[in-house]
Each structure stands twice: as C-alpha cells, then as structure tokens.
Amino acid sequence: MSLNRLLAAAVIGALSVSACTREAEAPPEPVDQTPPVGQQAAPTTPAIGYACESGQTVTVQYPDTATASIAYRGQTYALRLVPSGSGARYSGSGLEWWIAARDGQENATLSRLGPNQDVGVSVLERCSRPSANPALPVPGAPMQPQPAPGGILPAATPCRAAQLRLTSETGDAGAGGRTNVFAVTNTGAAACSVSGYPSVSLLDAQGRGLTAIRSEQNPQTAIPVNIPVGGKGYFDIHWMVVPNEGAGERVCPSAARVRVLIPGDTAALGVPLTFTPCGGRIRVNPFRSSVEPGQAPEPVAASAT
C-alpha cells in the first residue's frame, strides 16, 4: 500500500472515531413527562367519598373553590367549575360532576361529556352522601384538622391501603342492634391522614359479596384524622339483629368478612368478622381519632324495607 493510501486511511479512521465520540456525548432528546389524562398527581386535600347506586364509590378532592379531582375506577380526572342553574357543576377530562343538596343528602351525578365537551349526555353513576350535619365538609370549604393520639395534625399525604392494616377492635350491643369498631393502623414509614367515610361491603364464608346488604353513611361530622407511624384511626359499623318481619324477612344473611376501601384508593383491606345483619343494611360512621363508637343511627321501623 502506498504512503498516500495509508495517510488517507488514517484520516478516515480518525474522523470516524471523532464522529462516534460526538454522537455518544450528545444529550438525548427531551422526554415529555406530562402525565396523561387520568394520571395527574393527586391533590393533597382531604378526599370525600360518595356512595353510588351501582356499589362503586366516587372519591372527590376539592383543592379550591374552582376545581375538583375525581377518582373513579382506578383513574383520576381533573375538572373545573362551570356555570350551572343549580348546585355545583364541574366539567373536564371528558366527564361532568354535578352535585346538589336536597332532603339532607348531597346528591351527585357523574356523566360522560358529549362530543362538544360541554354537557353531560350519558350518566355513569348516581351517588350521594349525608349533608344534614352542618359540620360535614362541603366543596371548596377548608376543613379543620383533628389531632390523632399523640397530638399530630393531619399529614399532607393521604393514607394508602398498602400502608394500613385493618383490625376489629371492640363491639357494643344495644336494643336490637350491634356496633363494631374497626381500626386502621399505619404500618408505613411516614404519617398519613384519612378523612370521610370508608366504603364497606360484606362477604360470606365463600368470599362472595352479600349484595342483599347495602352500606349507608350515618350522618356524622367528617374531619381529617392524622395517623402517625404505628398509630390508629377508627370507624365503626352498626347493624340490626332482629329480622324485619314487616318486610318478609325471617332469616338474616350471615357475613364472614368485612371488606373496606379507603377514600382515594382502589385496593381493599379486609378482616374476618362473623355476624348476621338484618334489615338489608348496615350504617357506617366516618373516620375519627378515638376508639369510642360514633352515634348510632335512629332505629328503623319494622315496616321499612
């Protein structure tokens, strides 16, 4: 090989190495890290649970008077307050959330928006929660914190089911009724808070849902409760033990396990508990910081269904 050819080959080799080095050192293209719709970061305001006719729970957070964050079927949607003839109407992310207070209840509908993304055209859920108690939280209103044992105020981060353990604490008996107190213990590495009502359902000994028993929210003051590491938050359920013969009930169904959803989370907690709720319903009190049972509901008339 001639000297000129050797020199040319050396120059080409040097240029190739230089090009590879520059390519390796070039910064990567920026990646769009904007979360897709349905996966926005959750607000840190307390979550409010609405029980729906389908058995689902719609969990809503109101960071301010103009926005709402809707958690539904494992997805989170950001909505904005829009004009309405009555109540409060939020729209966005393909959904409409419309709430109005009536007859001691805060009734709400979750609908899919039409093609113009303006008006809800298809109702997905019809939900409600008690509003007779004036101390219950309302959209956009600040909530007064309630210290848990230890005097720590509510943490900014809501609790998740993965950092909680559900246990049955105490029971209480009354005339024709029973109450059972449950605790959620923070087994995580940091304090967290719970607020509002848990979603409670019952299972039989084979793990099947007792669909004949509906869970109702007993109107009580719902205030955020902080749970320090190792600490507990409490709620209770109340049920009747006398068959509702006026409605044709002779034998009450048997429950073997209680299943609980924490507001803002779709993962379930469970604990064994054998009992026979009568009358087709149980009543649920909201989370609180003390183990003492909440106020029992008014007795249900024998002819009620």
Side-chain angles (χ1 to χ4, degrees):
M1 183 180 295
S2 66
L3 180 59
N4 288 338
R5 289 184 177 179
L6 287 173
L7 290 175
V11 170
I12 293 173
L15 290 174
S16 299
V17 171
S18 175
C20 292
T21 302
R22 285 196 302 272
E23 183 177 356
E25 292 176 351
E29 291 294 323
V31 178
D32 183 8
Q33 298 184 1
T34 302
V37 173
Q39 297 183 6
Q40 294 97 338
T44 58
T45 50
I48 300 173
Y50 293 79
C52 304
E53 294 177 353
S54 68
Q56 292 285 331
T57 297
V58 174
T59 304
V60 187
Q61 292 173 280
Y62 300 98
D64 51 54
T65 57
T67 58
S69 176
I70 308 290
Y72 176 61
R73 292 186 178 273
Q75 297 292 319
T76 303
Y77 305 89
L79 284 71
R80 298 283 298 175
L81 186 68
V82 295
S84 65
S86 62
R89 177 172 166 256
Y90 298 83
S91 178
S93 303
L95 297 177
E96 176 190 77
W97 176 248
W98 202 327
I99 55 178
R102 190 173 110 185
D103 298 331
Q105 289 282 320
E106 191 175 291
N107 301 309
T109 56
L110 180 67
S111 305
R112 194 182 306 280
L113 290 175
N116 60 0
Q117 295 293 299
D118 182 34
V119 179
V121 297
S122 175
V123 175
L124 301 174
E125 300 286 353
R126 300 184 188 277
C127 316
S128 64
R129 73 181 185 104
S131 63
N133 191 323
L136 284 172
V138 296
M143 302 178 68
Q144 296 300 318
Q146 175 182 359
I152 303 175
L153 292 177
T157 304
C159 294
R160 309 294 291 179
Q163 68 191 107
L164 298 175
R165 183 179 72 252
L166 178 67
T167 55
S168 175
E169 294 291 299
T170 64
D172 188 27
R178 301 288 185 271
T179 298
N180 197 89
V181 178
F182 298 88
V184 286
T185 302
N186 183 358
T187 60
C192 63
S193 62
V194 291
S195 180
Y197 292 80
S199 177
V200 180
S201 57
L202 307 181
L203 307 178
D204 64 15
Q206 286 72 46
R208 300 169 300 194
L210 293 180
T211 56
I213 304 296
R214 63 181 182 271
S215 177
E216 299 179 348
Q217 297 173 347
N218 189 32
Q220 292 290 302
T221 301
I223 299 176
V225 177
N226 185 76
I227 309 179
V229 175
K232 296 181 178 182
Y234 303 91
F235 70 93
D236 63 75
I237 65 173
H238 181 90
W239 68 93
M240 304 304 293
V241 294
V242 179
N244 189 348
E245 296 183 356
E249 185 178 51
R250 298 292 184 268
V251 179
C252 302
S254 296
R257 190 173 183 83
V258 175
R259 182 178 182 269
V260 173
L261 294 177
I262 303 297
D265 200 347
T266 57
L269 300 169
V271 63
L273 186 68
T274 302
F275 63 106
T276 53
C278 299
R281 72 189 75 189
I282 61 173
R283 300 295 295 270
V284 183
N285 276 314
F287 286 108
R288 59 181 181 275
S289 61
S290 62
V291 71
E292 289 78 11
Q295 180 181 338
E298 293 295 324
V300 179
S303 60
T305 58

